[in-house]
Amino acid sequence: MKQLCLYILSFLGLVCVGVCKPREYILIKQLKTWTDAQSYCRLNHIDLATVQTDEDLKNLRQTASENAFALYGWIGLYNDITSWRWSHQDESVAYFNWYPGFPDNYGSGEECAVLRHDGYWFDYYCTLTRWSLCFEDKNGTVKYYLVDHSEV
């Protein structure tokens, strides 16, 4: 019985290695509103970036650090009036990393989220311009890269 459990756990571990892929990010170094950033990401990649796990956040922070990202960037998180959602496939949010005290909807109308270089999220006015973070799907592997698209 013990051998069977080890075999099953080993098999599940191998399945996870084959299926659980870390995410990487694309940083668009051009100021855009949230809507323009989403349109750009959907046209050229898949959508604005999502962060659903600690591993996603870790990979994002590591890549941001490697690319000296020290600002705020749009992610695919928005408030649809009843709850915060991811723009990609209108996914519900299973993982949160709000800065303490956020979202605060300061002054009303902060319906989109930015990611700060340290990995925390802040609610923000969608009409303001920021850099943006997109993701891509290559050969069934979700990829998020930080690259300089200043020519965009």
Side-chain angles (χ1 to χ4, degrees):
M1 182 66 167
K2 186 175 181 180
Q3 283 182 317
L4 177 61
C5 286
L6 288 174
Y7 174 76
I8 291 171
L9 289 174
S10 296
F11 174 75
L12 291 175
L14 291 173
V15 169
C16 189
V17 167
V19 175
C20 304
K21 301 197 185 326
R23 294 178 175 183
E24 299 171 37
Y25 296 84
I26 301 169
L27 173 65
I28 308 305
K29 290 184 178 180
Q30 184 179 38
L31 296 174
K32 297 181 178 294
T33 65
W34 189 90
T35 303
D36 289 343
Q38 181 191 45
S39 294
Y40 175 86
C41 289
R42 286 181 171 177
L43 181 64
N44 296 285
H45 304 288
I46 298 295
D47 206 332
L48 283 164
T50 62
V51 180
Q52 292 285 32
T53 66
D54 285 333
E55 186 69 20
D56 290 347
L57 183 60
K58 177 183 163 197
N59 291 334
L60 175 61
R61 289 180 68 188
Q62 178 181 344
T63 308
S65 175
E66 290 168 359
N67 288 273
F69 175 66
L71 301 172
Y72 295 86
W74 291 123
I75 55 176
L77 192 58
Y78 74 99
N79 187 344
D80 73 353
I81 307 304
T82 59
S83 65
W84 286 89
R85 313 224 17 110
W86 291 110
S87 67
H88 180 62
Q89 299 179 344
D90 203 31
E91 292 177 305
S92 61
V93 180
Y95 175 90
F96 293 95
N97 200 48
W98 292 108
Y99 188 79
F102 285 81
D104 65 354
N105 198 21
Y106 179 77
S108 174
E110 292 184 326
E111 303 295 333
C112 297
V114 291
L115 179 122
R116 192 169 73 173
H117 64 90
D118 60 6
Y120 283 111
W121 306 342
F122 291 80
D123 56 337
Y124 215 69
Y125 296 100
C126 306
T127 55
L128 297 178
T129 58
R130 305 301 311 140
W131 289 1
S132 47
L133 296 142
C134 306
F135 79 93
E136 218 168 289
D137 187 348
K138 299 265 187 185
N139 301 322
T141 302
V142 176
K143 295 206 177 237
Y144 299 79
Y145 300 98
L146 274 170
V147 278
D148 186 348
H149 279 284
S150 53
E151 75 282 356
V152 174

